[in-house]
Amino acid sequence: AIAAWLKDEASASARITAPTFIVNGDHDAMVATSNSFELLQRIPGATLSIELFNANGDLKESHPMPQST
């Protein structure tokens, strides 16, 4: 559904003028990371953050990073 929305809303995305921050988890089963990159290209001035070890970009789900000794 999201992929279809991206195709249908391409011109609408290009008209967004508000600051836009796109967040996606690198293990997200619902939104492929490639869709986030596509959205980034369509929204002028947008910023993208790919959250490592995360299912859907929700910071509450972030796993602690291993500490080096």
Side-chain angles (χ1 to χ4, degrees):
I2 292 172
W5 173 82
L6 283 172
K7 288 180 177 59
D8 293 341
E9 297 296 324
S11 63
S13 299
R15 293 191 306 267
I16 295 174
T17 59
T20 305
F21 184 56
I22 304 162
V23 180
N24 188 227
D26 67 342
H27 288 85
D28 193 328
M30 294 181 64
V31 179
T33 304
S34 60
N35 289 342
S36 295
F37 280 103
E38 187 173 345
L39 191 58
L40 175 68
Q41 293 174 347
R42 292 178 183 206
I43 300 176
T47 303
L48 173 64
S49 176
I50 302 297
E51 300 295 324
L52 300 178
F53 312 108
N54 209 305
N56 62 9
D58 185 344
L59 296 177
K60 294 180 289 188
E61 293 185 9
S62 293
H63 299 278
M65 295 296 295
Q67 299 294 318
S68 59
T69 56

